[in-house]
Amino acid sequence: MLFMVIFALTNDIKQIEYQDRYCILRAYIGYVTCPAYNYSFLLQSIYRYLTVVHPNRPFWQSVKFQILSLMSIWIFCFIYPFVFLFKNEIIYIVDNQICQIPLQGSFYMLYLTSNAYVIPISLVIFTYIKLIRYVRQMSKRVVSANTLSRARKELQMVRRIVILVMILVFVCLPYEIFTIMSLFTNAPKYDFRIAYLFVDLSYALVMICLFQFTEPVKTYIMKKLKRPTDIIDVARIG
């Protein structure tokens, strides 16, 4: 998404208003990577859920199962946009300087938003709710302290995933609004410029949150940042 924004800005500066040879390819890559990003959160949620609910089924927690799941998601993400290419739905939009499916309330737009956005995010939230209910039921039953502690830890991890997803939902609100508007009226002239700016912002916020949530990475980076300062202080003392 950031690459598309930079490309559009470059075309604005150079006053280029025509489609280049890689325009549709960039759109296709965007339609592949965006849902792959969202489905990655879903895979993490499902893994946490299976770890708690089905701890005695090691295959579902194995590396082999994780690889198969990742491969399935990527295959789906590569295949589902083919219909846009075959039907020539991706066109060059001069006002936004990018190739996209126009926001016109068409079947293809609904197909795109459902597969890339609505389905993965809805399933993440559904998984979180199911896990909450299961952990609450566990706390009412006689289970070992270690089992309950592990379940609550996994629930905390899924809760963090939901927080990341909610960031995507709220910061990407302009894109959602423009998509809904397209069902009834014309979207603003620079709809994709505005929407993708907020999408890129959401990705940046997600990365910041991941940094905060991942304690080992946070500790490692903070140590790296402090080391030059310590060296300078030692040099001054010497």
Side-chain angles (χ1 to χ4, degrees), residues 32-164:
V32 170
T33 55
C34 181
Y37 183 75
N38 294 333
Y39 278 104
S40 68
F41 292 121
L42 176 60
L43 289 182
Q44 293 179 58
S45 300
I46 292 175
Y47 173 77
R48 303 294 177 182
Y49 178 82
L50 293 176
T51 301
V52 174
V53 179
H54 302 287
N56 297 323
R57 298 186 179 181
F59 175 73
W60 288 359
Q61 303 173 36
S62 64
V63 175
K64 184 178 180 180
F65 180 75
Q66 300 303 313
I67 293 175
L68 289 174
S69 300
L70 285 171
M71 290 177 61
S72 300
I73 289 299
W74 276 104
I75 290 172
F76 168 77
C77 291
F78 273 107
I79 291 177
Y80 94 93
F82 281 177
V83 64
F84 308 143
L85 301 177
F86 296 149
K87 295 293 184 178
N88 295 320
E89 289 295 322
I90 302 176
I91 63 173
Y92 182 70
I93 304 174
V94 178
D95 293 329
N96 294 283
Q97 295 279 20
I98 55 174
C99 288
Q100 290 286 291
I101 300 174
L103 294 178
Q104 296 178 347
S106 64
F107 163 78
Y108 298 102
M109 197 65 211
L110 295 175
Y111 172 78
L112 169 64
T113 54
S114 297
N115 285 287
Y117 188 78
V118 176
I119 292 176
I121 289 178
S122 299
L123 289 178
V124 167
I125 296 173
F126 175 76
T127 304
Y128 176 60
I129 294 173
K130 290 280 290 183
L131 190 56
I132 287 177
R133 291 179 177 177
Y134 185 82
V135 172
R136 286 178 178 175
Q137 291 175 358
M138 285 183 64
S139 60
K140 296 177 182 178
R141 301 197 305 263
V142 179
V143 295
S144 65
N146 290 336
T147 302
L148 184 59
S149 175
R150 182 179 180 183
R152 288 175 175 171
K153 182 179 179 181
E154 298 297 341
L155 178 61
Q156 177 66 24
M157 295 299 296
V158 177
R159 184 178 292 116
R160 291 178 176 179
I161 294 172
V162 172
I163 292 173
L164 298 178

